[in-house]
Amino acid sequence: MKSVLLLALLLGQGWAMDQRELTIKAAYLFRLSLFVEWPPSSLDSTGSEPMRFCIAGDQGTTESLETLLAGKAINQHKIEVAEVQPHDDLSACHLLYLPEYIRSPQPFLQAAASYPILTVGETEAFYRQGGMIFLYNKDNRIRFAINEQAAKEAGLELRAQLLHLSQQP
């Protein structure tokens, strides 16, 4: 009986840490998006269409981020969260998030390459293969590095304030 309680306690703590980490990452995705300008062909200035955050892979992460970002808006664009797979049409996405469990980012990056999509990922492979913003852990804090050239090639403009906060991993 004690081992069952201990296991439940440990699983509960793991879930709480995962939820805390997801909350922090949701805040990063939201705040990073505040410093990006999408071309008018992708996102009109009236705020009439939603900004779509596409999450690679996992329904649980997608649902958690959807809950955490509910009611948030960027420049009057309400945020929508959707789960995507590499074979999906990503043309409606404005941000593509690849969590660390996505070990092969290349199919997602190729699917996003034709569109003005801000790509945010958590692996060095993602960054080396042309991802735009790499979230990484350093000294128990989430940091980010920016591949400015990849953003420019996608037609995105990153504000100077964001570029100034970027650090190399």
Side-chain angles (χ1 to χ4, degrees):
M1 181 67 171
K2 285 183 181 180
S3 61
V4 172
L5 289 174
L6 179 61
L7 180 60
L9 179 64
L10 291 173
L11 289 175
Q13 286 178 338
W15 182 85
M17 286 185 5
D18 288 347
Q19 243 353 77
R20 182 176 175 271
E21 186 175 332
L22 266 176
T23 301
I24 292 168
K25 289 176 182 177
Y28 263 87
L29 295 177
F30 176 73
R31 297 221 182 264
L32 290 168
S33 298
L34 293 171
F35 295 94
V36 178
E37 291 186 35
W38 281 263
S41 61
S42 170
L43 195 62
D44 72 31
S45 60
T46 66
S48 62
E49 63 183 303
M51 176 172 284
R52 184 167 241 196
F53 282 24
C54 295
I55 313 304
D58 166 305
Q59 184 177 4
T61 301
T62 301
E63 289 172 357
S64 291
L65 288 173
E66 187 172 32
T67 300
L68 293 166
L69 295 168
K72 300 259 189 246
I74 296 171
N75 298 327
Q76 302 169 335
H77 297 275
K78 185 178 176 183
I79 295 174
E80 276 184 7
V81 178
E83 178 186 346
V84 295
Q85 300 299 325
H87 59 274
D88 291 344
D89 177 11
L90 302 182
S91 62
C93 298
H94 296 96
L95 180 144
L96 174 63
Y97 172 57
L98 286 80
E100 66 184 330
Y101 54 77
I102 302 295
R103 297 291 176 205
S104 298
Q106 194 59 37
F108 286 100
L109 292 171
Q110 286 176 337
S114 301
Y115 307 106
I117 299 172
L118 179 68
T119 57
V120 181
E122 299 181 356
T123 64
E124 287 187 41
F126 160 84
Y127 194 58
R128 282 192 313 270
Q129 294 173 13
M132 295 174 201
I133 299 180
F134 171 39
L135 299 177
Y136 63 96
N137 191 322
K138 182 177 180 183
D139 301 326
N140 279 335
R141 296 180 64 112
I142 295 176
R143 311 279 186 194
F144 64 92
I146 295 177
N147 180 338
E148 188 178 4
Q149 186 60 37
K152 283 181 182 178
E153 288 173 6
L156 302 175
E157 186 177 322
L158 305 179
R159 295 197 181 124
Q161 300 98 315
L162 183 63
L163 296 171
H164 179 70
L165 294 172
S166 174
Q167 299 178 3
Q168 291 307 310

CSV table of all heavy atoms in Angstrom, one decimal, residues 65-120:
chain,number,residue,atom,x,y,z
A,65,LEU,N,-1.6,23.3,-23.9
A,65,LEU,CA,-1.3,24.6,-24.5
A,65,LEU,C,-2.5,25.4,-24.8
A,65,LEU,O,-2.6,26.6,-24.7
A,65,LEU,CB,-0.3,24.5,-25.6
A,65,LEU,CG,1.1,24.1,-25.2
A,65,LEU,CD1,2.0,23.9,-26.5
A,65,LEU,CD2,1.8,25.2,-24.4
A,66,GLU,N,-3.5,24.6,-25.4
A,66,GLU,CA,-4.8,25.3,-25.7
A,66,GLU,C,-5.4,25.9,-24.5
A,66,GLU,O,-5.9,27.0,-24.5
A,66,GLU,CB,-5.7,24.2,-26.4
A,66,GLU,CG,-7.0,24.8,-26.9
A,66,GLU,CD,-7.7,23.7,-27.7
A,66,GLU,OE1,-7.6,22.5,-27.4
A,66,GLU,OE2,-8.4,24.1,-28.7
A,67,THR,N,-5.4,25.1,-23.4
A,67,THR,CA,-6.0,25.6,-22.1
A,67,THR,C,-5.2,26.8,-21.6
A,67,THR,O,-5.8,27.8,-21.2
A,67,THR,CB,-6.0,24.5,-21.1
A,67,THR,OG1,-6.8,23.4,-21.6
A,67,THR,CG2,-6.5,25.0,-19.7
A,68,LEU,N,-3.9,26.7,-21.6
A,68,LEU,CA,-3.0,27.8,-21.1
A,68,LEU,C,-3.1,29.1,-21.9
A,68,LEU,O,-2.9,30.2,-21.4
A,68,LEU,CB,-1.6,27.3,-21.0
A,68,LEU,CG,-1.3,26.2,-20.0
A,68,LEU,CD1,0.1,25.6,-20.3
A,68,LEU,CD2,-1.4,26.7,-18.6
A,69,LEU,N,-3.3,28.9,-23.2
A,69,LEU,CA,-3.4,30.1,-24.1
A,69,LEU,C,-4.8,30.6,-24.4
A,69,LEU,O,-5.0,31.6,-25.1
A,69,LEU,CB,-2.7,29.8,-25.4
A,69,LEU,CG,-1.2,29.6,-25.3
A,69,LEU,CD1,-0.6,29.0,-26.6
A,69,LEU,CD2,-0.4,30.9,-24.9
A,70,ALA,N,-5.8,29.9,-23.8
A,70,ALA,CA,-7.2,30.3,-24.0
A,70,ALA,C,-7.4,31.8,-23.6
A,70,ALA,O,-6.9,32.2,-22.5
A,70,ALA,CB,-8.1,29.4,-23.2
A,71,GLY,N,-8.1,32.5,-24.4
A,71,GLY,CA,-8.4,33.9,-24.2
A,71,GLY,C,-7.3,34.9,-24.5
A,71,GLY,O,-7.5,36.1,-24.4
A,72,LYS,N,-6.2,34.4,-24.9
A,72,LYS,CA,-5.0,35.3,-25.2
A,72,LYS,C,-5.2,35.7,-26.7
A,72,LYS,O,-5.7,35.0,-27.5
A,72,LYS,CB,-3.7,34.5,-25.1
A,72,LYS,CG,-3.4,34.1,-23.7
A,72,LYS,CD,-2.5,35.0,-23.0
A,72,LYS,CE,-2.1,34.4,-21.6
A,72,LYS,NZ,-2.6,35.1,-20.5
A,73,ALA,N,-4.6,36.9,-27.0
A,73,ALA,CA,-4.6,37.4,-28.4
A,73,ALA,C,-3.3,38.2,-28.6
A,73,ALA,O,-2.7,38.7,-27.7
A,73,ALA,CB,-5.8,38.4,-28.6
A,74,ILE,N,-2.9,38.2,-29.8
A,74,ILE,CA,-1.7,38.9,-30.3
A,74,ILE,C,-2.2,39.9,-31.3
A,74,ILE,O,-2.7,39.5,-32.4
A,74,ILE,CB,-0.7,38.0,-30.8
A,74,ILE,CG1,-0.2,37.1,-29.7
A,74,ILE,CG2,0.5,38.7,-31.4
A,74,ILE,CD1,0.7,35.9,-30.1
A,75,ASN,N,-2.0,41.2,-31.1
A,75,ASN,CA,-2.5,42.2,-32.0
A,75,ASN,C,-3.9,42.0,-32.5
A,75,ASN,O,-4.2,42.0,-33.6
A,75,ASN,CB,-1.5,42.3,-33.2
A,75,ASN,CG,-0.1,42.7,-32.8
A,75,ASN,OD1,0.1,43.5,-31.8
A,75,ASN,ND2,0.9,42.2,-33.5
A,76,GLN,N,-4.8,41.7,-31.5
A,76,GLN,CA,-6.2,41.5,-31.8
A,76,GLN,C,-6.5,40.2,-32.4
A,76,GLN,O,-7.7,39.9,-32.7
A,76,GLN,CB,-6.8,42.7,-32.6
A,76,GLN,CG,-6.6,44.0,-31.9
A,76,GLN,CD,-7.0,45.2,-32.8
A,76,GLN,OE1,-7.0,45.0,-34.0
A,76,GLN,NE2,-7.4,46.3,-32.2
A,77,HIS,N,-5.5,39.4,-32.7
A,77,HIS,CA,-5.8,38.0,-33.2
A,77,HIS,C,-5.9,37.0,-32.1
A,77,HIS,O,-4.9,36.8,-31.4
A,77,HIS,CB,-4.6,37.6,-34.2
A,77,HIS,CG,-4.5,38.5,-35.4
A,77,HIS,ND1,-5.2,38.4,-36.5
A,77,HIS,CD2,-3.7,39.6,-35.6
A,77,HIS,CE1,-4.9,39.3,-37.4
A,77,HIS,NE2,-3.9,40.0,-36.8
A,78,LYS,N,-7.1,36.4,-32.0
A,78,LYS,CA,-7.3,35.4,-31.0
A,78,LYS,C,-6.4,34.2,-31.3
A,78,LYS,O,-6.3,33.8,-32.5
A,78,LYS,CB,-8.8,35.0,-31.0
A,78,LYS,CG,-9.1,34.0,-29.9
A,78,LYS,CD,-10.6,33.7,-29.9
A,78,LYS,CE,-10.9,32.7,-28.9
A,78,LYS,NZ,-12.3,32.3,-28.9
A,79,ILE,N,-5.8,33.6,-30.3
A,79,ILE,CA,-4.9,32.4,-30.5
A,79,ILE,C,-5.7,31.2,-30.6
A,79,ILE,O,-6.6,30.9,-29.7
A,79,ILE,CB,-3.8,32.3,-29.4
A,79,ILE,CG1,-2.9,33.5,-29.5
A,79,ILE,CG2,-3.1,31.0,-29.6
A,79,ILE,CD1,-1.9,33.6,-28.4
A,80,GLU,N,-5.5,30.4,-31.6
A,80,GLU,CA,-6.0,29.0,-31.8
A,80,GLU,C,-4.9,28.1,-31.7
A,80,GLU,O,-3.8,28.3,-32.2
A,80,GLU,CB,-6.7,28.8,-33.2
A,80,GLU,CG,-8.1,29.3,-33.3
A,80,GLU,CD,-8.7,29.0,-34.7
A,80,GLU,OE1,-8.0,28.2,-35.5
A,80,GLU,OE2,-9.8,29.4,-34.9
A,81,VAL,N,-5.1,26.9,-31.1
A,81,VAL,CA,-4.1,25.9,-31.0
A,81,VAL,C,-4.5,24.6,-31.7
A,81,VAL,O,-5.7,24.2,-31.5
A,81,VAL,CB,-3.7,25.6,-29.5
A,81,VAL,CG1,-2.7,24.5,-29.4
A,81,VAL,CG2,-3.3,26.9,-28.8
A,82,ALA,N,-3.6,24.1,-32.5
A,82,ALA,CA,-4.0,22.9,-33.3
A,82,ALA,C,-2.8,21.9,-33.3
A,82,ALA,O,-1.7,22.3,-33.4
A,82,ALA,CB,-4.4,23.2,-34.7
A,83,GLU,N,-3.1,20.6,-33.2
A,83,GLU,CA,-2.1,19.6,-33.3
A,83,GLU,C,-1.9,19.3,-34.8
A,83,GLU,O,-2.8,19.3,-35.6
A,83,GLU,CB,-2.6,18.3,-32.6
A,83,GLU,CG,-1.6,17.1,-32.7
A,83,GLU,CD,-2.2,15.8,-32.2
A,83,GLU,OE1,-3.2,15.9,-31.5
A,83,GLU,OE2,-1.6,14.8,-32.5
A,84,VAL,N,-0.6,19.1,-35.2
A,84,VAL,CA,-0.3,18.8,-36.6
A,84,VAL,C,0.7,17.7,-36.6
A,84,VAL,O,1.5,17.4,-35.7
A,84,VAL,CB,0.3,20.1,-37.3
A,84,VAL,CG1,-0.7,21.2,-37.4
A,84,VAL,CG2,1.6,20.6,-36.6
A,85,GLN,N,0.7,17.0,-37.8
A,85,GLN,CA,1.7,16.0,-38.1
A,85,GLN,C,2.5,16.5,-39.3
A,85,GLN,O,2.0,17.4,-40.0
A,85,GLN,CB,0.9,14.7,-38.4
A,85,GLN,CG,0.1,14.2,-37.3
A,85,GLN,CD,0.9,13.8,-36.1
A,85,GLN,OE1,2.0,13.4,-36.1
A,85,GLN,NE2,0.3,14.1,-34.9
A,86,PRO,N,3.6,15.9,-39.6
A,86,PRO,CA,4.5,16.4,-40.7
A,86,PRO,C,3.8,16.4,-42.1
A,86,PRO,O,4.2,17.2,-42.9
A,86,PRO,CB,5.7,15.5,-40.7
A,86,PRO,CG,5.5,14.4,-39.7
A,86,PRO,CD,4.3,14.8,-38.9
A,87,HIS,N,2.9,15.5,-42.3
A,87,HIS,CA,2.2,15.3,-43.6
A,87,HIS,C,1.1,16.3,-43.7
A,87,HIS,O,0.5,16.4,-44.8
A,87,HIS,CB,1.8,13.9,-43.8
A,87,HIS,CG,0.8,13.4,-42.8
A,87,HIS,ND1,1.3,12.9,-41.6
A,87,HIS,CD2,-0.5,13.4,-42.7
A,87,HIS,CE1,0.2,12.5,-40.9
A,87,HIS,NE2,-0.9,12.9,-41.5
A,88,ASP,N,0.7,17.0,-42.7
A,88,ASP,CA,-0.4,18.0,-42.7
A,88,ASP,C,-0.1,19.2,-43.5
A,88,ASP,O,1.0,19.6,-43.7
A,88,ASP,CB,-0.8,18.4,-41.3
A,88,ASP,CG,-1.5,17.3,-40.5
A,88,ASP,OD1,-1.9,16.2,-41.1
A,88,ASP,OD2,-1.5,17.4,-39.3
A,89,ASP,N,-1.2,19.9,-44.0
A,89,ASP,CA,-1.0,21.2,-44.7
A,89,ASP,C,-0.8,22.2,-43.6
A,89,ASP,O,-1.7,22.4,-42.7
A,89,ASP,CB,-2.3,21.5,-45.5
A,89,ASP,CG,-2.3,22.8,-46.1
A,89,ASP,OD1,-1.2,23.5,-46.1
A,89,ASP,OD2,-3.3,23.3,-46.7
A,90,LEU,N,0.3,22.9,-43.5
A,90,LEU,CA,0.6,23.8,-42.5
A,90,LEU,C,0.4,25.3,-42.9
A,90,LEU,O,0.7,26.2,-42.2
A,90,LEU,CB,2.1,23.7,-42.1
A,90,LEU,CG,2.5,22.3,-41.5
A,90,LEU,CD1,4.0,22.3,-41.1
A,90,LEU,CD2,1.6,21.8,-40.4
A,91,SER,N,-0.3,25.5,-44.0
A,91,SER,CA,-0.4,26.8,-44.6
A,91,SER,C,-1.2,27.7,-43.7
A,91,SER,O,-1.1,29.0,-43.7
A,91,SER,CB,-1.1,26.8,-46.0
A,91,SER,OG,-2.4,26.2,-45.9
A,92,ALA,N,-2.1,27.2,-42.8
A,92,ALA,CA,-2.9,28.1,-41.9
A,92,ALA,C,-2.1,28.3,-40.6
A,92,ALA,O,-2.6,29.1,-39.7
A,92,ALA,CB,-4.2,27.4,-41.6
A,93,CYS,N,-0.9,27.8,-40.4
A,93,CYS,CA,-0.2,28.0,-39.2
A,93,CYS,C,0.6,29.3,-39.2
A,93,CYS,O,1.1,29.7,-40.3
A,93,CYS,CB,0.8,26.8,-39.0
A,93,CYS,SG,0.1,25.2,-38.8
A,94,HIS,N,0.7,29.9,-38.1
A,94,HIS,CA,1.6,31.1,-37.9
A,94,HIS,C,2.8,30.8,-37.1
A,94,HIS,O,3.8,31.4,-37.3
A,94,HIS,CB,0.8,32.3,-37.3
A,94,HIS,CG,-0.4,32.7,-38.2
A,94,HIS,ND1,-1.7,32.2,-38.0
A,94,HIS,CD2,-0.4,33.5,-39.3
A,94,HIS,CE1,-2.4,32.8,-38.9
A,94,HIS,NE2,-1.7,33.5,-39.7
A,95,LEU,N,2.6,29.8,-36.2
A,95,LEU,CA,3.7,29.4,-35.3
A,95,LEU,C,3.7,27.9,-35.3
A,95,LEU,O,2.6,27.3,-35.2
A,95,LEU,CB,3.6,30.0,-33.9
A,95,LEU,CG,4.6,29.6,-32.9
A,95,LEU,CD1,4.9,30.7,-31.9
A,95,LEU,CD2,4.3,28.3,-32.1
A,96,LEU,N,4.8,27.3,-35.4
A,96,LEU,CA,4.9,25.8,-35.3
A,96,LEU,C,5.9,25.5,-34.2
A,96,LEU,O,7.1,25.9,-34.2
A,96,LEU,CB,5.5,25.2,-36.6
A,96,LEU,CG,5.8,23.7,-36.6
A,96,LEU,CD1,4.5,22.9,-36.4
A,96,LEU,CD2,6.4,23.3,-38.0
A,97,TYR,N,5.4,24.8,-33.2
A,97,TYR,CA,6.1,24.4,-32.0
A,97,TYR,C,6.5,23.0,-32.1
A,97,TYR,O,5.6,22.1,-32.2
A,97,TYR,CB,5.3,24.8,-30.8
A,97,TYR,CG,5.9,24.3,-29.5
A,97,TYR,CD1,7.2,24.7,-29.1
A,97,TYR,CD2,5.2,23.5,-28.6
A,97,TYR,CE1,7.8,24.2,-27.9
A,97,TYR,CE2,5.7,23.1,-27.4
A,97,TYR,CZ,7.0,23.5,-27.0
A,97,TYR,OH,7.5,23.0,-25.8
A,98,LEU,N,7.8,22.6,-32.0
A,98,LEU,CA,8.3,21.3,-32.0
A,98,LEU,C,8.9,21.0,-30.6
A,98,LEU,O,10.0,21.3,-30.3
A,98,LEU,CB,9.3,21.0,-33.0
A,98,LEU,CG,8.8,21.0,-34.5
A,98,LEU,CD1,8.5,22.3,-35.0
A,98,LEU,CD2,9.7,20.2,-35.3
A,99,PRO,N,8.1,20.3,-29.7
A,99,PRO,CA,8.6,20.0,-28.4
A,99,PRO,C,9.8,19.0,-28.5
A,99,PRO,O,10.1,18.4,-29.5
A,99,PRO,CB,7.4,19.3,-27.7
A,99,PRO,CG,6.2,19.7,-28.5
A,99,PRO,CD,6.7,19.9,-29.9
A,100,GLU,N,10.5,18.9,-27.4
A,100,GLU,CA,11.8,18.1,-27.4
A,100,GLU,C,11.6,16.6,-27.7
A,100,GLU,O,12.5,16.0,-28.2
A,100,GLU,CB,12.5,18.2,-26.0
A,100,GLU,CG,11.7,17.6,-24.8
A,100,GLU,CD,12.5,17.8,-23.5
A,100,GLU,OE1,13.7,17.9,-23.6
A,100,GLU,OE2,11.8,18.0,-22.5
A,101,TYR,N,10.4,16.1,-27.6
A,101,TYR,CA,10.2,14.7,-27.9
A,101,TYR,C,10.1,14.5,-29.4
A,101,TYR,O,10.1,13.3,-29.9
A,101,TYR,CB,9.0,14.1,-27.2
A,101,TYR,CG,7.7,14.8,-27.4
A,101,TYR,CD1,7.0,14.7,-28.6
A,101,TYR,CD2,7.2,15.7,-26.4
A,101,TYR,CE1,5.8,15.5,-28.8
A,101,TYR,CE2,6.0,16.4,-26.6
A,101,TYR,CZ,5.3,16.3,-27.8
A,101,TYR,OH,4.2,17.0,-28.0
A,102,ILE,N,10.1,15.5,-30.2
A,102,ILE,CA,10.1,15.4,-31.7
A,102,ILE,C,11.6,15.3,-32.1
A,102,ILE,O,12.3,16.2,-32.2
A,102,ILE,CB,9.5,16.6,-32.4
A,102,ILE,CG1,8.0,16.8,-32.0
A,102,ILE,CG2,9.6,16.5,-33.9
A,102,ILE,CD1,7.1,15.7,-32.4
A,103,ARG,N,12.0,14.0,-32.3
A,103,ARG,CA,13.4,13.7,-32.5
A,103,ARG,C,13.8,14.0,-34.0
A,103,ARG,O,15.0,14.1,-34.3
A,103,ARG,CB,13.8,12.3,-32.1
A,103,ARG,CG,13.6,12.0,-30.7
A,103,ARG,CD,14.6,12.8,-29.9
A,103,ARG,NE,14.4,12.6,-28.5
A,103,ARG,CZ,14.8,13.5,-27.5
A,103,ARG,NH1,15.5,14.5,-27.9
A,103,ARG,NH2,14.6,13.3,-26.3
A,104,SER,N,12.9,14.0,-34.9
A,104,SER,CA,13.1,14.2,-36.3
A,104,SER,C,12.4,15.5,-36.8
A,104,SER,O,11.3,15.4,-37.3
A,104,SER,CB,12.7,13.0,-37.2
A,104,SER,OG,13.4,11.9,-36.8
A,105,PRO,N,13.0,16.7,-36.6
A,105,PRO,CA,12.3,17.9,-36.9
A,105,PRO,C,12.2,18.2,-38.4
A,105,PRO,O,11.4,18.9,-38.9
A,105,PRO,CB,13.1,19.0,-36.2
A,105,PRO,CG,14.5,18.4,-36.1
A,105,PRO,CD,14.3,16.9,-35.9
A,106,GLN,N,13.1,17.5,-39.2
A,106,GLN,CA,13.2,17.8,-40.6
A,106,GLN,C,11.9,17.7,-41.4
A,106,GLN,O,11.6,18.6,-42.2
A,106,GLN,CB,14.3,17.0,-41.3
A,106,GLN,CG,14.7,17.5,-42.7
A,106,GLN,CD,15.2,18.9,-42.7
A,106,GLN,OE1,15.9,19.3,-41.8
A,106,GLN,NE2,14.9,19.6,-43.7
A,107,PRO,N,11.1,16.7,-41.2
A,107,PRO,CA,9.8,16.6,-42.0
A,107,PRO,C,8.9,17.8,-41.6
A,107,PRO,O,8.2,18.4,-42.5
A,107,PRO,CB,9.2,15.3,-41.5
A,107,PRO,CG,10.3,14.5,-41.0
A,107,PRO,CD,11.3,15.5,-40.5
A,108,PHE,N,8.9,18.3,-40.4
A,108,PHE,CA,8.1,19.4,-40.0
A,108,PHE,C,8.6,20.7,-40.6
A,108,PHE,O,7.9,21.5,-41.1
A,108,PHE,CB,8.0,19.6,-38.5
A,108,PHE,CG,7.1,18.6,-37.8
A,108,PHE,CD1,7.6,17.5,-37.2
A,108,PHE,CD2,5.7,18.8,-37.8
A,108,PHE,CE1,6.8,16.5,-36.6
A,108,PHE,CE2,4.9,17.8,-37.2
A,108,PHE,CZ,5.4,16.7,-36.6
A,109,LEU,N,10.0,20.9,-40.6
A,109,LEU,CA,10.6,22.1,-41.1
A,109,LEU,C,10.4,22.1,-42.6
A,109,LEU,O,10.2,23.2,-43.2
A,109,LEU,CB,12.1,22.1,-40.7
A,109,LEU,CG,12.3,22.3,-39.2
A,109,LEU,CD1,13.8,22.1,-38.9
A,109,LEU,CD2,11.9,23.7,-38.8
A,110,GLN,N,10.5,21.0,-43.3
A,110,GLN,CA,10.2,21.0,-44.7
A,110,GLN,C,8.8,21.3,-45.1
A,110,GLN,O,8.5,22.1,-46.0
A,110,GLN,CB,10.6,19.6,-45.3
A,110,GLN,CG,12.0,19.3,-45.4
A,110,GLN,CD,12.3,17.9,-45.9
A,110,GLN,OE1,11.5,17.0,-45.8
A,110,GLN,NE2,13.6,17.8,-46.4
A,111,ALA,N,7.8,20.8,-44.3
A,111,ALA,CA,6.4,21.2,-44.5
A,111,ALA,C,6.1,22.6,-44.3
A,111,ALA,O,5.2,23.2,-44.9
A,111,ALA,CB,5.5,20.3,-43.6
A,112,ALA,N,6.9,23.3,-43.4
A,112,ALA,CA,6.7,24.7,-43.0
A,112,ALA,C,7.4,25.6,-43.9
A,112,ALA,O,7.1,26.8,-44.0
A,112,ALA,CB,7.1,24.9,-41.6
A,113,ALA,N,8.4,25.1,-44.7
A,113,ALA,CA,9.4,25.9,-45.4
A,113,ALA,C,8.7,26.9,-46.5
A,113,ALA,O,9.2,27.9,-46.8
A,113,ALA,CB,10.4,25.1,-46.1
A,114,SER,N,7.6,26.5,-47.0
A,114,SER,CA,7.0,27.3,-48.1
A,114,SER,C,6.1,28.4,-47.5
A,114,SER,O,5.5,29.2,-48.3
A,114,SER,CB,6.1,26.4,-48.9
A,114,SER,OG,6.9,25.4,-49.5
A,115,TYR,N,6.0,28.5,-46.2
A,115,TYR,CA,5.0,29.5,-45.6
A,115,TYR,C,5.7,30.4,-44.6
A,115,TYR,O,6.7,30.0,-44.0
A,115,TYR,CB,3.9,28.7,-44.9
A,115,TYR,CG,3.2,27.7,-45.8
A,115,TYR,CD1,3.5,26.3,-45.6
A,115,TYR,CD2,2.4,28.1,-46.8
A,115,TYR,CE1,2.9,25.4,-46.4
A,115,TYR,CE2,1.8,27.1,-47.6
A,115,TYR,CZ,2.0,25.8,-47.4
A,115,TYR,OH,1.5,24.8,-48.2
A,116,PRO,N,5.1,31.5,-44.3
A,116,PRO,CA,5.7,32.4,-43.2
A,116,PRO,C,5.3,31.9,-41.9
A,116,PRO,O,4.4,32.5,-41.2
A,116,PRO,CB,5.1,33.8,-43.6
A,116,PRO,CG,3.8,33.5,-44.3
A,116,PRO,CD,4.0,32.2,-45.0
A,117,ILE,N,5.9,30.9,-41.4
A,117,ILE,CA,5.6,30.3,-40.1
A,117,ILE,C,6.8,30.4,-39.2
A,117,ILE,O,7.9,30.0,-39.5
A,117,ILE,CB,5.3,28.7,-40.3
A,117,ILE,CG1,4.1,28.6,-41.2
A,117,ILE,CG2,5.1,28.1,-38.9
A,117,ILE,CD1,3.8,27.1,-41.6
A,118,LEU,N,6.6,31.0,-38.0
A,118,LEU,CA,7.6,31.0,-37.0
A,118,LEU,C,7.8,29.6,-36.4
A,118,LEU,O,6.9,29.1,-35.9
A,118,LEU,CB,7.3,32.0,-35.9
A,118,LEU,CG,8.3,32.2,-34.8
A,118,LEU,CD1,9.5,32.8,-35.3
A,118,LEU,CD2,7.6,32.9,-33.6
A,119,THR,N,9.0,29.1,-36.5
A,119,THR,CA,9.3,27.7,-36.0
A,119,THR,C,10.0,27.9,-34.7
A,119,THR,O,11.0,28.6,-34.6
A,119,THR,CB,10.0,26.8,-37.0
A,119,THR,OG1,11.3,27.5,-37.3
A,119,THR,CG2,9.2,26.6,-38.3
A,120,VAL,N,9.5,27.2,-33.7
A,120,VAL,CA,10.1,27.2,-32.3
A,120,VAL,C,10.3,25.7,-31.9
A,120,VAL,O,9.4,24.9,-32.0
A,120,VAL,CB,9.2,27.9,-31.3
A,120,VAL,CG1,9.8,27.9,-29.9
A,120,VAL,CG2,8.9,29.3,-31.8
